[in-house]
Amino acid sequence: MAARGPDPSDRIRRLQDFRRRHLEAISAIDRALSQIDHTLGNVDILNEALMSRADARLAGSADHPVRRKGRFARTAEVSVLEFVRREGAPTTAQINDHWRREGRRGTANVTVLRLLRQNRIRRQTDPAIRGSRYLAVDNAAHVDG
């Protein structure tokens, strides 16, 4: 008699457990990014308070140049949200490419997290890619049907 292969229900249970562990990891990453976003916001507030008290001559001297944030025509949130609307369902990598093409430093991840928390975009898993796709909430109903 031929040996039977592994029980499909065992394979399904293992895959469901694998998926659950990954969802927990994604949740932990989202919490960490949220804490980073909160911390960076507090650092910006502290830096502004310190600079307002600093001696203007010292702050503008050659030994202590003033560090300024980039100046862009649109805010980070508006830029990412418009890109998501225009592209339909871009990946995280596509959003970050757009971010860098605009001349912004780092990645758009904190801005994406902020838009997710504000329910202005929605994350959509796509097993065909690494990462996620994002939909503008006003467009989400049309895509999911």
Side-chain angles (χ1 to χ4, degrees):
M1 187 178 274
R4 288 181 33 185
D7 183 16
S9 61
D10 287 340
R11 174 91 171 129
I12 290 169
R13 277 192 292 279
R14 283 196 312 269
L15 287 171
Q16 287 172 332
D17 184 54
F18 184 74
R19 181 180 185 277
R20 181 191 51 76
R21 286 184 281 141
H22 278 81
L23 288 174
E24 289 171 358
I26 289 169
S27 180
I29 290 168
D30 286 346
R31 284 191 304 274
L33 287 172
S34 178
Q35 289 173 343
I36 290 168
D37 184 38
H38 178 73
T39 301
L40 289 175
N42 288 340
V43 168
D44 284 346
I45 291 168
L46 179 61
N47 282 340
E48 288 173 16
L50 290 173
M51 284 305 293
S52 68
R53 293 183 200 137
D55 178 44
R57 287 179 296 119
L58 179 62
S61 73
D63 293 336
H64 298 80
V66 176
R67 182 178 180 270
R68 297 177 189 237
K69 292 182 179 181
R71 303 284 187 235
F72 297 96
R74 298 177 296 175
T75 66
E77 289 177 8
V78 169
S79 173
V80 170
L81 188 56
E82 285 180 0
F83 180 75
V84 169
R85 284 185 177 132
R86 186 173 61 247
E87 293 299 312
T91 65
T92 307
Q94 290 170 324
I95 292 171
N96 282 322
D97 286 344
H98 163 75
W99 183 267
R100 285 185 288 276
R101 280 193 309 272
E102 284 193 332
R104 297 177 188 268
R105 292 183 177 182
T107 64
N109 296 349
V110 172
T111 302
V112 168
L113 179 63
R114 188 177 300 124
L115 289 169
L116 284 167
R117 282 195 325 235
Q118 294 171 355
N119 293 320
R120 295 173 75 186
I121 62 173
R122 189 172 54 116
R123 179 181 290 133
Q124 181 182 53
T125 57
D126 183 348
I129 61 160
R130 180 173 180 240
S132 300
R133 291 191 178 277
Y134 297 91
L135 300 167
V137 169
D138 54 341
N139 293 343
H142 304 298
V143 173
D144 289 340

